[in-house]
Amino acid sequence: MNAVNDFQATLDPSRKGWLDSANDPASDFPIQNLPFGIFSDRRNDARRVGVAIGDQIVDLAALQAAGLLSAPGQQVFARDALNDFIALGRAAWRSVRIQLSLLLARDTPALRDDAALRAKVLVAQADARLYLPVQIPGYTDFYSSKEHATNVGAMFRDPKNALLPNWTEMPIGYNGRASSVVVSGTPVRRPNGQLKLPDQERPVFGACRKLDIELEMGFIVGGGNALGEPIASADAEAHIFGMVLLNDWSARDIQQWEYVPLGPFNSKGFATTISPWIVTLDALEPFRVAQPLQEPQPLAYLRHEGEHAFDIHLEVTLRPQHAREASTITRTNFKHMYWTMAQQLAHQTVSGCNTRVGDLMGSGTISGPTDDSFGSLLELTWNGKKPLELKEGGTRAFIEDGDELTLTGWCQGDGYRVGFGRCAGEILPARS
Amino acid sequence: MNAVNDFQATLDPSRKGWLDSANDPASDFPIQNLPFGIFSDRRNDARRVGVAIGDQIVDLAALQAAGLLSAPGQQVFARDALNDFIALGRAAWRSVRIQLSLLLARDTPALRDDAALRAKVLVAQADARLYLPVQIPGYTDFYSSKEHATNVGAMFRDPKNALLPNWTEMPIGYNGRASSVVVSGTPVRRPNGQLKLPDQERPVFGACRKLDIELEMGFIVGGGNALGEPIASADAEAHIFGMVLLNDWSARDIQQWEYVPLGPFNSKGFATTISPWIVTLDALEPFRVAQPLQEPQPLAYLRHEGEHAFDIHLEVTLRPQHAREASTITRTNFKHMYWTMAQQLAHQTVSGCNTRVGDLMGSGTISGPTDDSFGSLLELTWNGKKPLELKEGGTRAFIEDGDELTLTGWCQGDGYRVGFGRCAGEILPARS
């Protein structure tokens, strides 16, 4: 055995765990996944690093204290964010993954047969509270779905020239607001702002009337670059720790009035929700697929050999306040994205811009090719003109107060799925 | 005596220090200023909090250790950033200012007459290294000079409708990249990126050919706001710790190709330089003046009574490599800014967006009304069409490799000036 073989074994579809809940084909967290997060629980309110397995969380701080997990850094797991662990680098991530995969495997007795130890290091997800998994020094949001950019361009600019000329040349992106990134489950207050109503000369101040989601995924930078030293496309994936679901809440009316010429600002800065579990790029390896054909061929600094897209199924549901049943409003796939994560990171750093451990990079709204696979209500309802019928709770042009929006995502393996959990938020009424 | 009188006394133009260099009318750092920064020196390479006075720095960590300075926080001065001190709040900032002003005043013997103590707590600026004064969680850049926005609009959009309709309704801004904010003196590498040349169908990759400065000032948030809880315009100044000079280096050719529709990204993300000393809003109090008339009257959330502009003289010099003499390329004043800092902070938070201690908010390029008072080469040379004559080193349309650009700023008092020091950077050739 060697490290490469050990790593390949963690991806083996036939590997099963001794925790039954991890072997449920519908579980997001089988032994092949092992995503990292930050949690506390009723018995211990200290935030610490955990890994989801089935319906449980493995407490890595407790596991290390018990001598069952070695990591090069001292105490990187007894922390309220993953940054210090992530900063150890890829070899450390893999080493921890390999150790956990073995410890949780059906045939490994160390933890399986020790009830007292299990009580110390396993916490039921139902009893845990989850937090933002990383301290986020910087947040970039890209715009890398060709379908989404085309839809938005057709609606707000020119349907005949919907895609701007720079779009096929580079992964267009902008800096987002890192301070208001929140973890799934955090209620989101409808923003106030300036609205330019069609029948009035001047804007009015009031609550957003066109509140929307953007179904995105985000990646977490695992190894940054120094100022002035770009990351090459071919090397970029080695700088990525893992991925989360991301909802880039958007106030369309505020956006339309404010965004020329410097881009979206208050329309996006009030909240961005991410899922609590970071699924590592290592766990996603079996689901690598070819990215769409890029035509024209990108400039040299954006080229990379091989397959750099990932086959990740995505869904969004909307549940009105007091409704029992949620309605699925879109189904799409991350593999549709035109620009890859590697190209996004190479593009942002080609100017010399530095990145840091924990930086969050959003994909941009993920829209598929069909009109039931769009990643925003703006597109699904064509700016409110074609409201969606919900199973329960009427119709929706945009989000209403009390609505809960939930993003889910998973890679489908043979008999198991590598899932991302939930990225959910309920809308509170605007501040009066 | 009471706290208000003690504070007023720190602003007294007639107060003199026992350090001669602080009484030089040309010094940026008289006893009325007392700006905060982070430094180390030859004898002690630990970064710590200092206050500039004349040609010296008072080491606040050493002063506290010697029992001559009380502050509510333990050890907030033996830190590599000001954030912990700033987080103590305005009463603490004022208390430290009052204590320092007394300790350094001509008639106070405690430090003046104790040579051993002076040797411990005073460091010559010539022997010190200065660092970024705060850890910056978020960076916003506004666009609040009417003259600048009009000039840019005339050049790139429509001279007849140079100012977009949203500009007079709100302080337009965007999120900048916090990771690449560097302290004065840090060399800046010319960025590479995509350039769209007029005679070619597709962009080329290469070094920026239109590298520019933007003469700005920035304010440092001293007290943030929670997510969902806006800061009112009338309260906003109480949330501001102080101000710095800021050079928002800009790659005009990269910017022009990339900025539609999501705003500037790689054209700004490669470096932003700030001055090392934060001049507190307290020290600027005597230089408060009326802001320009705002017509139309802003919406209610942007209104504030009284005077919220500051009379700060600003200059930029350019010194070519190997030249002995620098040329002044512009002279302007911060008081020309149309939107105030208070309005900027109120606008960014009105959506519910949270801010944090140490956030940096750039003013936007500060252009005056005359064509020798513009804050960028873009405007001074009208996009390169009217190159500037330098005293030494030829002409400049945009910045050349080896050029050193230096921003200075000061408030002119009666017999003294409250200065900002220097915000300088030399341009290195692009990475090949």
Side-chain angles (χ1 to χ4, degrees):
Chain A
M1 292 283 272
N2 60 31
V4 173
N5 289 342
D6 288 345
F7 170 61
Q8 286 303 325
T10 70
L11 302 173
D12 182 351
S14 69
R15 182 168 281 194
K16 297 289 178 194
W18 45 259
L19 257 174
D20 285 343
S21 63
N23 300 328
D24 178 347
S27 173
D28 274 345
F29 308 121
I31 196 165
Q32 290 80 8
N33 192 347
L34 304 175
F36 290 83
I38 296 292
F39 78 105
S40 68
D41 69 303
R42 290 176 200 169
R43 296 174 308 175
N44 180 358
D45 66 1
R47 300 186 196 190
R48 52 212 197 267
V49 173
V51 162
I53 179 77
D55 59 6
Q56 303 289 309
I57 298 169
V58 187
D59 178 338
L60 298 202
L63 203 63
Q64 189 175 29
L68 282 172
L69 179 65
S70 73
Q74 287 296 312
Q75 299 278 335
V76 291
F77 302 121
R79 297 286 164 87
D80 64 3
L82 279 159
N83 301 61
D84 289 343
F85 168 62
I86 296 174
L88 296 178
R90 194 166 216 196
W93 315 336
R94 288 212 167 169
S95 161
V96 168
R97 176 179 173 82
I98 290 166
Q99 293 176 70
L100 288 173
S101 180
L102 280 171
L103 193 64
L104 295 167
R106 184 168 277 170
D107 298 335
T108 309
L111 192 52
R112 183 191 68 192
D113 297 346
D114 188 334
L117 195 56
R118 284 205 311 279
K120 269 191 199 163
V121 306
L122 287 185
V123 172
Q125 285 168 28
D127 294 335
R129 182 169 169 191
L130 299 169
Y131 301 90
L132 215 52
V134 280
Q135 187 272 323
I136 301 169
Y139 165 39
T140 302
D141 198 21
F142 287 94
Y143 183 61
S144 291
S145 155
K146 193 170 189 173
E147 291 79 5
H148 171 69
T150 304
N151 288 336
V152 170
M155 248 178 279
F156 293 117
R157 286 179 294 268
D158 175 4
K160 286 175 193 153
N161 296 291
L163 215 55
L164 291 164
N166 57 14
W167 197 92
T168 50
E169 297 289 356
M170 67 176 98
I172 294 284
Y174 67 101
N175 295 299
R177 178 79 188 168
S179 67
S180 53
V181 178
V182 297
V183 73
S184 177
T186 308
V188 171
R189 195 165 283 287
R190 179 184 297 272
N192 288 312
Q194 290 197 17
L195 317 173
K196 184 69 166 62
L197 307 178
D199 56 344
Q200 295 194 23
E201 180 92 3
R202 292 193 54 197
V204 297
F205 179 77
C208 165
R209 301 170 187 194
K210 291 188 171 181
L211 186 59
D212 200 357
I213 55 159
E214 291 198 340
L215 165 59
E216 303 193 15
M217 298 199 69
F219 70 83
I220 305 290
V221 172
N225 63 303
L227 195 60
E229 295 180 13
I231 297 172
S233 286
D235 304 332
E237 283 179 3
H239 290 259
I240 299 176
F241 176 65
M243 296 181 71
V244 292
L245 301 167
L246 186 154
N247 184 350
D248 174 28
W249 303 96
S250 298
R252 298 298 178 196
D253 38 9
I254 296 173
Q255 186 177 354
Q256 207 184 339
W257 171 233
E258 76 174 0
Y259 91 103
V260 178
L262 299 183
F265 184 54
N266 277 358
S267 55
K268 305 272 196 173
F270 61 96
T272 301
T273 304
I274 65 171
S275 53
W277 295 110
I278 305 177
V279 177
T280 61
L281 224 54
D282 280 346
L284 296 172
E285 197 52 50
F287 307 99
R288 193 181 278 279
V289 293
Q291 55 274 19
L293 178 70
Q294 297 180 332
E295 183 56 45
Q297 187 187 37
L299 295 180
Y301 80 93
L302 290 171
R303 290 178 209 155
H304 47 19
E305 299 292 317
E307 301 185 332
H308 299 278
F310 292 87
D311 183 4
I312 306 172
H313 300 270
L314 296 164
E315 286 188 8
V316 181
T317 64
L318 187 158
R319 189 174 62 81
Q321 199 167 27
H322 309 306
R324 276 161 304 179
E325 203 174 4
S327 300
T328 300
I329 59 171
T330 191
R331 288 186 178 85
T332 186
N333 195 300
F334 183 68
K335 72 182 177 190
H336 298 307
M337 299 307 279
Y338 186 89
W339 295 105
T340 69
M341 295 183 283
Q343 290 172 319
Q344 291 169 339
L345 192 52
H347 180 64
Q348 176 153 15
T349 60
V350 79
S351 70
C353 180
N354 53 332
T355 60
R356 296 183 284 193
V357 168
D359 278 349
L360 174 66
M361 308 280 182
S363 61
T365 308
I366 303 164
S367 289
T370 59
D371 62 9
D372 57 355
S373 65
F374 296 159
S376 65
L377 284 165
L378 178 74
E379 296 162 88
L380 290 164
T381 72
W382 214 252
N383 198 12
K385 292 196 191 86
K386 303 188 297 180
L388 292 179
E389 291 281 345
L390 304 180
K391 285 186 195 166
E392 189 183 349
T395 63
R396 285 293 180 282
F398 289 96
I399 300 170
E400 297 188 3
D401 289 346
D403 286 354
E404 184 186 50
L405 279 295
T406 304
L407 282 52
T408 53
W410 69 95
C411 301
Q412 189 60 56
D414 184 9
Y416 69 101
R417 58 191 236 174
V418 168
F420 285 80
R422 289 156 43 88
C423 176
E426 181 187 330
I427 296 299
L428 304 179
R431 202 167 183 276
S432 59
Chain B
M1 290 286 271
N2 62 31
V4 173
N5 289 341
D6 288 345
F7 170 61
Q8 285 303 327
T10 69
L11 302 173
D12 182 352
S14 69
R15 181 169 281 195
K16 297 287 177 194
W18 45 258
L19 257 174
D20 285 342
S21 64
N23 300 328
D24 179 347
S27 173
D28 274 345
F29 308 122
I31 196 165
Q32 289 80 8
N33 191 348
L34 303 176
F36 291 82
I38 297 291
F39 78 104
S40 69
D41 69 303
R42 291 177 199 169
R43 296 173 308 175
N44 179 358
D45 66 1
R47 300 187 195 189
R48 53 213 197 267
V49 173
V51 162
I53 180 80
D55 59 6
Q56 303 289 308
I57 297 170
V58 187
D59 178 338
L60 297 204
L63 204 61
Q64 189 174 31
L68 281 173
L69 179 65
S70 72
Q74 287 294 314
Q75 299 280 337
V76 291
F77 300 122
R79 298 285 165 84
D80 64 3
L82 279 159
N83 300 59
D84 289 343
F85 168 61
I86 296 175
L88 296 177
R90 193 167 216 195
W93 314 337
R94 287 210 168 170
S95 161
V96 168
R97 175 178 174 82
I98 290 166
Q99 292 175 69
L100 288 173
S101 179
L102 279 172
L103 193 64
L104 296 167
R106 184 167 277 170
D107 299 335
T108 308
L111 191 53
R112 183 191 67 193
D113 298 346
D114 188 335
L117 195 56
R118 282 204 314 275
K120 270 191 199 162
V121 306
L122 287 185
V123 172
Q125 284 168 29
D127 294 335
R129 180 167 170 194
L130 298 169
Y131 301 90
L132 214 53
V134 280
Q135 186 273 324
I136 301 169
Y139 164 40
T140 302
D141 198 21
F142 288 93
Y143 184 61
S144 290
S145 155
K146 193 170 188 173
E147 291 79 4
H148 173 68
T150 304
N151 288 337
V152 172
M155 248 178 279
F156 292 118
R157 286 179 294 268
D158 176 4
K160 286 177 191 152
N161 296 289
L163 214 55
L164 290 164
N166 57 14
W167 197 93
T168 49
E169 297 289 355
M170 67 175 97
I172 294 286
Y174 66 102
N175 296 299
R177 178 78 187 169
S179 68
S180 53
V181 178
V182 298
V183 74
S184 177
T186 308
V188 171
R189 195 165 285 288
R190 180 183 296 272
N192 288 313
Q194 290 197 17
L195 317 173
K196 184 69 169 62
L197 306 178
D199 55 344
Q200 296 194 22
E201 180 91 3
R202 292 193 56 196
V204 298
F205 179 78
C208 166
R209 302 171 186 195
K210 292 188 171 183
L211 185 59
D212 200 358
I213 55 157
E214 292 199 339
L215 164 59
E216 303 194 16
M217 297 199 70
F219 69 83
I220 304 291
V221 172
N225 63 304
L227 195 60
E229 296 180 13
I231 296 172
S233 286
D235 303 333
E237 283 179 3
H239 291 258
I240 299 175
F241 176 65
M243 297 181 71
V244 292
L245 300 167
L246 186 154
N247 185 351
D248 175 27
W249 302 97
S250 297
R252 299 299 177 195
D253 38 9
I254 296 173
Q255 184 176 356
Q256 208 183 340
W257 171 232
E258 76 173 0
Y259 90 104
V260 178
L262 299 183
F265 184 54
N266 277 359
S267 54
K268 305 272 196 173
F270 61 95
T272 302
T273 304
I274 65 171
S275 53
W277 296 109
I278 306 177
V279 176
T280 61
L281 225 53
D282 280 346
L284 296 172
E285 195 55 48
F287 307 98
R288 193 181 277 280
V289 293
Q291 56 275 19
L293 177 70
Q294 296 180 332
E295 179 60 43
Q297 186 186 38
L299 295 179
Y301 80 94
L302 289 171
R303 290 178 208 155
H304 47 18
E305 299 291 316
E307 299 184 335
H308 298 278
F310 292 87
D311 183 3
I312 306 173
H313 300 271
L314 296 165
E315 286 188 9
V316 181
T317 62
L318 187 158
R319 189 173 62 81
Q321 200 168 26
H322 309 305
R324 274 161 305 179
E325 203 176 7
S327 299
T328 299
I329 59 172
T330 190
R331 290 186 175 87
T332 184
N333 195 299
F334 183 67
K335 72 182 177 189
H336 297 308
M337 300 305 280
Y338 186 89
W339 294 105
T340 69
M341 295 185 283
Q343 289 173 320
Q344 290 169 339
L345 192 52
H347 180 64
Q348 176 153 15
T349 61
V350 79
S351 69
C353 180
N354 53 331
T355 60
R356 295 182 286 192
V357 168
D359 278 348
L360 174 65
M361 307 281 180
S363 60
T365 308
I366 302 164
S367 288
T370 57
D371 62 8
D372 57 355
S373 65
F374 296 158
S376 65
L377 284 166
L378 178 73
E379 296 163 87
L380 289 164
T381 72
W382 213 253
N383 199 11
K385 293 195 191 86
K386 302 189 297 180
L388 290 180
E389 291 282 345
L390 304 179
K391 286 187 195 166
E392 188 183 351
T395 62
R396 284 294 178 281
F398 289 98
I399 299 171
E400 297 188 6
D401 289 347
D403 286 354
E404 183 186 51
L405 279 295
T406 304
L407 283 51
T408 52
W410 69 94
C411 302
Q412 189 59 56
D414 184 8
Y416 70 102
R417 58 192 236 174
V418 169
F420 285 80
R422 287 158 44 90
C423 177
E426 182 186 330
I427 297 299
L428 304 179
R431 203 168 181 275
S432 61

